Amino acid sequence: MDEHHRPFRFGVVGESVRTAADLVATARRAEDLGYATLTLRDHFTPDDFGDQLSPMVALTAAACATTTLRVGTLVLANDYRHPAMLAKEAATLDHVSGGRFELGIGAGWLREEYDRAGMPFDPAGTRVGRLEESLEVLRSLLSGDKTDFAGEHYRIDGLAVFPRPKRRPPILVGAGSKRMLGIAGRHADTAGILPRALPAGTISDEITERLPGTIARKADWVREAAAGRDVELSMLVSPTIGPDPRRAAARVAVLRGWGASSTDLVLDMPSQFVGPPEHIAEQMIARRDRYGFTYYLVSDAHMDAFAPVIPLLTGS
């Protein structure tokens, strides 16, 4: 599919979900507002978003509380689950949801979490290599194949998954570095483009990671690795709804610590959308043409405010 003509879709990240009631209410609200997906993060320490529910279990409940909403992880840390066990969980959740599950996965990056759990935080090259092997195993098992695999990190001997998916659940890989974006291009159905993870176990807050040239380069790395495969491009974005785009951008620049002098940079950032809904919709069409992004996710904190943009781009 030509990415310039791929239809838009939108998702919610349930960052403030803490209880079963919150979960069900957020899922049903997202479905009513026209969002395509509800996604959950994968952390067992509070980090920047507070305590989180376990994603696979919580998404099962969300799927059972809705009828059309897709559910997904954004993203699982590969090191927290062996791919054979993850394939079993993913196949079961896909079955329970009627084929509405999307498996988002990354290499793992939050060093504090590894340290608190007593898990080794291996060098980035090791974690990324382990993810690539895991993706090969997951794609095979979730395609319903009897799988044999012998790699540096995993060994699978004649394993098949039950329940067998009617079709392999889509796989999203969250990626910020060139190597990770290449892996996404080769193995994923969706590449979630992120700022790069740093060796110390944090995510870069450098403004350069969010500027148009950097994002264009990252999108190109995905396409080069995909070698003609149809890979959806996705990004978690921060919308600021208001009548005056420049004033909204200046506020974002100050709040993020970049300074008011960065207002023009914020206006051009592919991850920032500021202004009234009609202006944001126009920006999204322009950025689809420039970069190829068609799947955008917003925090549940912005779910209601952003919702008027959805019908402008999906016709729903």
Side-chain angles (χ1 to χ4, degrees), residues 1-11 34-37 70 102 189-190 230-235 281 284-285 287-289 292-297 309-316:
M1 181 185 296
D2 183 343
E3 64 192 19
H4 294 162
H5 296 95
R6 180 191 283 274
F8 286 100
R9 65 183 187 127
F10 299 93
Y35 287 93
T37 58
R70 300 183 66 80
E102 300 185 9
D189 303 288
T190 301
D230 181 25
V231 179
E232 179 183 53
L233 295 186
S234 173
M235 184 177 284
M284 288 187 163
I285 292 170
R287 291 174 188 179
R288 177 176 64 181
D289 293 342
F293 290 102
T294 56
Y295 178 30
Y296 285 112
L297 297 109
V309 176
I310 297 175
L312 299 176
L313 293 170
T314 64
S316 60

Side-chain angles (χ1 to χ4, degrees), residues 27-48:
R28 289 176 174 164
R29 181 65 175 159
E31 186 173 60
D32 289 344
L33 290 172
Y35 287 93
T37 58
L38 173 69
T39 66
L40 294 178
R41 297 181 182 273
D42 185 31
H43 293 296
F44 46 85
T45 60
D47 71 33
D48 292 337

Side-chain angles (χ1 to χ4, degrees), residues 13-256:
V13 187
E15 293 179 342
S16 64
V17 172
R18 304 285 182 264
T19 68
D22 289 343
L23 174 69
V24 169
T26 300
R28 289 176 174 164
R29 181 65 175 159
E31 186 173 60
D32 289 344
L33 290 172
Y35 287 93
T37 58
L38 173 69
T39 66
L40 294 178
R41 297 181 182 273
D42 185 31
H43 293 296
F44 46 85
T45 60
D47 71 33
D48 292 337
F49 306 103
D51 289 314
Q52 306 283 300
L53 298 176
S54 178
M56 301 295 278
V57 176
L59 289 171
T60 302
C64 291
T66 55
T67 56
T68 61
L69 186 73
R70 300 183 66 80
V71 295
T73 51
L74 199 78
V75 293
L76 299 180
N78 179 63
D79 286 343
Y80 299 168
R81 299 164 188 81
H82 190 283
M85 296 304 297
L86 177 55
K88 179 76 170 179
E89 290 188 1
T92 300
L93 177 46
D94 191 66
H95 174 71
V96 168
S97 67
R100 289 185 282 141
F101 177 57
E102 300 185 9
L103 175 60
I105 192 167
W109 61 272
L110 185 58
R111 178 166 197 150
E112 179 186 3
E113 196 158 67
Y114 281 75
D115 290 345
R116 288 192 180 188
M119 296 188 297
F121 187 70
D122 292 327
T126 301
R127 286 179 282 116
V128 172
R130 197 155 46 223
L131 171 67
E132 185 157 26
E133 287 191 10
S134 180
L135 284 165
E136 293 186 50
V137 172
L138 288 165
R139 284 179 61 97
S140 178
L141 287 171
L142 291 173
S143 295
D145 298 333
K146 186 176 181 181
T147 299
D148 293 285
F149 181 86
E152 180 181 353
H153 305 285
Y154 301 111
R155 183 178 183 87
I156 305 294
D157 185 10
L159 185 66
V161 73
F162 176 84
R164 180 175 179 170
K166 292 183 178 179
R167 69 177 185 92
R168 178 178 58 77
I171 293 174
L172 178 151
V173 170
S177 68
K178 185 175 184 179
R179 184 182 176 192
M180 281 289 296
L181 290 158
I183 288 171
R186 290 190 297 275
H187 298 288
D189 303 288
T190 301
I193 295 184
L194 303 164
R196 63 190 177 92
L198 301 177
T202 59
I203 296 292
S204 174
D205 199 38
E206 289 292 326
I207 195 170
T208 54
E209 279 291 297
R210 294 154 175 83
L211 296 182
T214 302
I215 299 303
R217 194 159 50 246
K218 292 187 180 194
D220 285 343
W221 287 337
V222 173
R223 282 188 283 265
E224 289 167 9
R229 288 182 62 247
D230 181 25
V231 179
E232 179 183 53
L233 295 186
S234 173
M235 184 177 284
L236 175 60
V237 297
S238 300
T240 304
I241 309 297
D244 186 337
R246 173 163 288 277
R247 180 174 295 180
R251 187 165 64 251
V252 170
V254 171
L255 290 173
R256 291 300 301 266

